[in-house]
Amino acid sequence: MTAQLQVSRRGGREARRTIRTAPKIDMLPTLKRGLPVMEPMDAEQVERIHEASLAILEDVGVVFRDPIAIEDWKRAGADVRADDRVHLDRGLVMELIKTIPSRIEYFARDPAKNVELGGPKSIFVPMTGAPYMRDLDDVRRGPTIADLGTFHKLAHMMPALHSSAHHIVEPMDLVVAHRHLHITYSSMKHSDKIFMGMTTSPKNAEDVLDMCEILFGESFLETHAVTTGNCNGNSPLVWDQVMLGAMRAFCRRNQPVLCSPFVLGGANTPASTAAAVAQLNAEALSALAYTQVIRKGCPAIYGHYLSTVSMQSGAPMAGTPEISLMNFMIGQMARRYNVPWRTSNLLGGAKVFDAQAGYESAMTMMAVLMSGANYIWHSAGWNEAGMHCSIAKFVVDAEVCAMGYRMTEGIQWDDFDEALAAVRDVGPGGHYLGHPHTQANFERAFFIPKLFDNNSIEQWYADGSKDIKQRALDQARFLLAEYREPTLDLAKDEELRAYIDRRSREIPAVDALNDEY
């Protein structure tokens, strides 16, 4: 063999190895569920929850701590007592939520990454809101805006994540009053997927939407969903001024909001799974109805955050059986009202990326997928009850989402006859490894995880005896080295930067929310 031929063959092997190991970052399309949903309540029990929720709205009422919302409700015909307690007639509520669209199409900077929501269609969205992170050295520390950019880059490169979210981690190196501007810019610049919009104050929400108009065009937002706002309730039965003001900002621009009661089961709800869902359902309905008071026909999403509270320590718990049951029940209620719904995925209370983190996350994810949730938030990185986002867990969670995606698609039948023909070709005692059908289909027939080690123990030793955390951090470093920024139009980029500069001058640089400027 000549030296030239040896070099040629080595070059060919290297080229093939490069192709095999190069990251595949093509985003998976909208997940279309092919499995039946889990529905533990019969029709009578669904109606029992529904009637209990409407009775809460009529008899107990919901506090709207916001004078604008109170005036809105009065004009809509609601019964307002004691200044801010709104008693909602069931007929008014049901009439209002009828106008919420049952489907939402989201438009991304890259049109190939547009997604749909509602009915059998779902998307995975990373976690947000962590005040700490575990970095590439697995050190727990406060994050910076550069760290947020790292997570946005990873979200961009994960096929099963459909969004870059917003503040996956909180950039502690920026003053609070200016953070929303830089968080939004990072979401837009480092990924061309859809993203979330900050709702930390009404003024902040307006800034985010102004930046969306720069990116997409003012008239575009009027008829296209490009971002999502989250508005949390103060359970039990309170919606505050900050969230309601942000909700109005999003609804007026026709952008979807998540109407999310914040459940700490046993602390701010009754210590009963069914009764907790009845209260949560009442809270969600009150906010969903208000979106339609603000703007009839604007998109809205039935939201919630679920946890149960340890009666020993008072700490929130994830992955408990009751959370799974509540997800199943809430899915049934959202389908009863024909509105898309959001839940939280892959949650855990573990302090490190360990077996507890895996078990809790897997327990939650299976229930989420079988409940038929549409907006599947907190799908990567969540640990320590949301106090930190782990880079190692982020990349593993994203792969687990890809596994869940494949399962939830359901059984594939398109090659059934060809595969049966292979049985006749191989016959008794043979094997299928070299059969043309296997060669053509092995990559799609069975999911092959990249981060889970299924080699022999001898091979595992030879590869360095790495555990899942080490492999995940190595993969994160590899992905970040391979990251290529999706080019943002230069004129839009300059306009976004100019907007951030102007608003940073207008908003006082203080560690408080921007409520006035």
Side-chain angles (χ1 to χ4, degrees):
M1 184 181 296
T2 67
Q4 184 177 1
L5 181 57
Q6 287 177 323
V7 171
S8 176
R9 289 189 174 180
R10 280 200 303 272
R13 284 196 297 271
E14 290 299 325
R16 289 191 295 274
R17 185 179 297 112
T18 299
I19 292 171
R20 287 197 305 271
T21 58
K24 295 181 179 179
I25 63 170
D26 290 342
M27 191 184 85
L28 292 169
T30 301
L31 170 59
K32 185 175 182 181
R33 189 174 63 252
L35 294 179
V37 292
M38 173 66 72
E39 297 194 326
M41 295 189 293
D42 60 28
E44 180 181 347
Q45 290 166 333
V46 169
E47 289 308 302
R48 188 175 181 186
I49 295 290
H50 171 68
E51 290 297 325
S53 299
L54 295 181
I56 290 170
L57 293 177
E58 287 182 332
D59 301 336
V60 181
V62 177
V63 170
F64 284 75
R65 289 180 179 153
D66 177 68
I68 297 175
I70 292 300
E71 291 306 311
D72 289 341
W73 275 123
K74 287 178 179 178
R75 284 192 296 271
D79 178 12
V80 179
R81 306 176 198 171
D83 294 332
D84 60 3
R85 186 177 292 200
V86 180
H87 294 255
L88 293 170
D89 175 79
R90 63 187 60 206
L92 174 62
V93 171
M94 297 308 295
E95 194 63 32
L96 287 168
I97 65 171
K98 280 181 184 177
T99 59
I100 298 173
S102 60
R103 303 285 191 277
I104 301 171
E105 182 177 6
Y106 280 100
F107 292 81
R109 180 153 70 86
D110 177 0
K113 294 171 183 171
N114 294 351
V115 292
E116 298 176 72
L117 199 72
K121 295 184 176 181
S122 306
I123 61 172
F124 292 109
V125 181
M127 78 160 290
T128 65
Y132 296 94
M133 66 178 290
R134 282 193 174 270
D135 62 19
L136 286 165
D137 296 315
D138 199 37
V139 174
R140 185 182 185 275
R141 60 175 175 81
T144 65
I145 190 64
D147 294 319
L148 177 60
T150 293
F151 281 108
H152 283 153
K153 292 171 185 178
L154 289 172
H156 176 70
M157 299 184 78
M158 298 298 181
L161 298 182
H162 298 100
S163 170
S164 64
H166 47 28
H167 66 316
I168 295 173
V169 292
E170 192 75 27
M172 298 296 189
D173 55 335
L174 300 176
V175 295
V176 171
H178 296 171
R179 283 180 191 173
H180 65 289
L181 301 167
H182 299 275
I183 290 167
T184 304
Y185 181 71
S186 181
S187 305
M188 293 175 168
K189 183 173 177 60
H190 296 305
S191 177
D192 53 15
K193 297 179 179 181
I194 64 168
F195 53 89
M196 298 185 74
M198 300 293 291
T199 53
T200 41
S201 80
K203 294 290 187 182
N204 289 356
E206 291 287 355
D207 285 341
V208 168
L209 294 164
D210 287 347
M211 293 176 72
C212 288
E213 289 185 351
I214 292 171
L215 187 63
F216 292 99
E218 182 176 356
S219 60
F220 194 84
L221 266 65
E222 184 64 22
T223 52
H224 299 80
V226 302
T227 189
T228 309
N230 178 59
C231 296
N232 282 322
N234 294 338
S235 299
L237 301 168
V238 175
W239 292 94
D240 68 35
Q241 188 171 20
V242 169
M243 291 289 93
L244 293 169
M247 182 184 293
R248 284 192 293 272
F250 272 75
C251 291
R252 286 169 180 163
R253 308 260 192 126
N254 210 33
Q255 297 303 299
V257 287
L258 308 173
C259 300
S260 301
F262 197 94
V263 170
L264 300 169
N268 62 8
T269 73
S272 159
T273 299
V277 170
Q279 177 190 300
L280 178 155
N281 191 56
E283 292 167 335
L285 287 175
S286 68
L288 289 167
Y290 183 56
T291 67
Q292 303 307 292
V293 172
I294 299 166
R295 177 170 176 160
K296 184 176 180 180
C298 70
I301 299 170
Y302 184 135
H304 64 78
Y305 173 81
L306 297 177
S307 67
T308 52
V309 171
S310 169
M311 294 301 153
Q312 294 176 323
S313 66
M317 298 186 294
T320 62
E322 292 75 21
I323 292 174
S324 296
L325 291 172
M326 284 191 274
N327 267 312
F328 296 145
M329 296 170 72
I330 293 162
Q332 288 187 261
M333 300 313 300
R335 286 188 289 277
R336 189 211 182 282
Y337 307 124
N338 197 29
V339 294
W341 70 287
R342 160 252 162 147
T343 191
S344 300
N345 191 23
L346 290 166
L347 303 184
K351 310 307 175 283
V352 294
F353 185 26
D354 59 6
Q356 178 184 335
Y359 284 129
E360 287 176 332
S361 295
M363 182 81 173
T364 305
M365 183 180 197
M366 289 301 296
V368 163
L369 294 176
M370 300 310 295
S371 65
N374 302 118
Y375 195 96
I376 306 176
W377 195 5
H378 301 316
S379 285
W382 182 286
N383 222 10
E384 197 189 336
M387 288 297 292
H388 82 250
C389 183
S390 158
I391 286 183
K393 191 171 187 290
F394 192 94
V395 296
V396 175
D397 284 350
E399 182 164 276
V400 172
C401 286
M403 296 173 71
Y405 182 106
R406 173 64 194 90
M407 182 192 77
T408 312
E409 283 183 305
I411 301 165
Q412 295 176 343
W413 292 91
D414 57 319
D415 67 335
F416 183 66
D417 292 335
E418 294 175 27
L420 282 182
V423 178
R424 298 180 182 276
D425 294 341
V426 172
H431 70 78
Y432 293 83
L433 296 175
H435 192 276
H437 177 268
T438 304
Q439 296 295 312
N441 290 276
F442 77 93
E443 287 190 345
R444 77 182 186 101
F446 305 110
F447 190 96
I448 304 174
K450 292 183 176 64
L451 296 173
F452 295 172
D453 186 286
N454 292 291
N455 293 325
S456 67
I457 193 165
E458 292 81 10
Q459 185 62 51
W460 181 70
Y461 284 138
D463 291 339
S465 309
K466 296 179 180 179
D467 63 13
I468 184 69
K469 181 175 70 177
Q470 290 173 299
R471 290 194 298 276
L473 292 173
D474 287 347
Q475 177 70 0
R477 292 186 184 96
F478 169 70
L479 289 170
L480 292 168
E482 294 290 319
Y483 171 78
R484 299 294 179 268
E485 186 176 295
T487 305
L488 183 60
D489 177 81
L490 182 59
K492 291 182 183 295
D493 191 24
E494 290 177 350
E495 191 173 356
L496 285 167
R497 288 174 178 270
Y499 182 88
I500 292 170
D501 289 343
R502 176 173 65 82
R503 292 295 287 140
S504 296
R505 291 192 301 271
E506 293 170 348
I507 304 168
V510 295
D511 283 321
L513 293 177
N514 168 32
D515 287 324
E516 299 178 27
Y517 294 89

